[in-house]
Amino acid sequence: KNQVEQSPQSLIILEGKNCTLQCNYTVSPFSNLRWYKQDTGRGPVSLTIMTFSENTKSNGRYTATLDADTKQSSLHITASQLSDSASYICVVGPGRDSGYALNFGKGTSLLVTP
Amino acid sequence: KAGVTQTPRYLIKTRGQQVTLSCSPISGHRSVSWYQQTPGQGLQFLFEYFSETQRNKGNFPGRFSGRQFSNSRSEMNVSTLELGDSALYLCASSLFYPQGSRYQETQYFGPGTRLLVL
């Protein structure tokens, strides 16, 4: 069973609107949580990295939040642009004791329309 | 600074053949990780190399192998190709290995090699 679940699977929004993507994980313990953006036909690009002690981190119009108690993270995109159309992938990195495995969610496919 | 480069970008092979993919990390980066990405499974970890040593390996059969050279460049080999091996193979580099609570290393991904097995 995948230890990182993302929702929704896909999303269509109008240009200029805000949206929030969700990531629920069961990985424990974990060291950090990352959000990546992957444009079609290209490799993922890191948006944010948060440790378990951080609650929020911003990167321009992207703001990631983390609730380590409920094991939930969200990625909020404000004033969406056409270029935000991409797949957004949540990645949870385990702690030392769990051995190595960056756990990847299957991504949320976002389409921003004019 | 040049990004992560992967060659070739596209590849078509037939079942039973073998293939070698190449990855050149960002200059100065010593860790290279390989991933397989398919629409159904998303990104799956293959293996990671650091200073020419394989540090970690995912749950893939032995047909998948790799190596890293002294200049940090890495190659991935898949033998006896199967139809299910058709995927985008991504390479990512970082200064140090991306695991562990002490490190928050950003991984930089290459554009990937799209492999089609017929």
Side-chain angles (χ1 to χ4, degrees):
Chain A
K1 185 183 184 299
N2 196 11
Q3 297 188 72
V4 180
E5 298 288 346
Q6 291 188 245
S7 62
Q9 190 173 18
S10 60
L11 185 62
I12 302 174
I13 62 172
L14 290 174
E15 185 179 12
K17 297 295 185 182
N18 302 335
C19 67
T20 299
L21 314 179
Q22 299 291 340
C23 174
N24 295 339
Y25 61 92
T26 58
V27 180
S28 181
F30 90 98
S31 57
N32 58 71
L33 187 146
R34 311 156 186 241
W35 282 94
Y36 285 91
K37 176 189 178 188
Q38 184 174 21
D39 292 313
T40 301
R42 307 187 71 170
V45 174
S46 178
L47 292 175
T48 62
I49 301 177
M50 291 184 290
T51 65
F52 62 87
S53 61
E54 295 179 288
N55 299 120
T56 184
K57 184 160 281 188
S58 292
N59 179 0
R61 295 180 295 104
Y62 301 100
T63 298
T65 63
L66 173 63
D67 186 334
D69 292 330
T70 61
K71 296 184 178 175
Q72 294 179 325
S73 176
S74 65
L75 181 69
H76 187 71
I77 304 174
T78 59
S80 61
Q81 300 175 359
L82 298 179
S83 59
D84 292 330
S85 296
S87 179
Y88 292 85
I89 303 170
C90 174
V91 184
V92 181
R96 219 169 29 237
D97 295 341
S98 301
Y100 179 81
L102 281 181
N103 297 275
F104 289 82
K106 294 187 178 181
T108 291
S109 180
L110 173 66
L111 177 62
V112 181
T113 63
Chain B
K1 211 182 243 191
V4 178
T5 58
Q6 291 186 247
T7 57
R9 292 293 312 276
Y10 304 93
L11 204 51
I12 300 175
K13 292 285 188 178
T14 56
R15 280 182 300 174
Q17 287 187 309
Q18 75 164 25
V19 66
T20 298
L21 312 182
S22 180
C23 171
S24 292
I26 291 173
S27 177
H29 284 194
R30 296 167 65 188
S31 169
V32 173
S33 299
W34 287 90
Y35 299 89
Q36 182 194 67
Q37 187 176 37
T38 58
Q41 297 297 322
L43 272 161
Q44 293 184 285
F45 171 68
L46 281 157
F47 28 64
E48 184 223 350
Y49 287 87
F50 181 79
S51 293
E52 300 179 66
T53 301
Q54 185 182 89
R55 292 178 41 80
N56 295 286
K57 191 176 189 301
N59 296 322
F60 277 80
R63 299 185 297 106
F64 292 81
S65 63
R67 58 178 176 169
Q68 186 180 34
F69 302 96
S70 57
N71 60 359
S72 294
R73 189 178 71 85
S74 177
E75 285 182 348
M76 189 194 91
N77 186 75
V78 187
S79 63
T80 319
L81 284 166
E82 300 177 359
L83 295 180
D85 297 332
S86 295
L88 179 67
Y89 289 88
L90 290 160
C91 161
S93 79
S94 58
L95 275 171
F96 301 105
Y97 47 89
Q99 68 172 336
S101 58
R102 292 179 296 168
Y103 299 100
Q104 296 180 54
E105 287 295 327
T106 297
Q107 281 191 305
Y108 296 88
F109 284 83
T113 293
R114 187 163 295 280
L115 172 66
L116 176 61
V117 182
L118 302 174

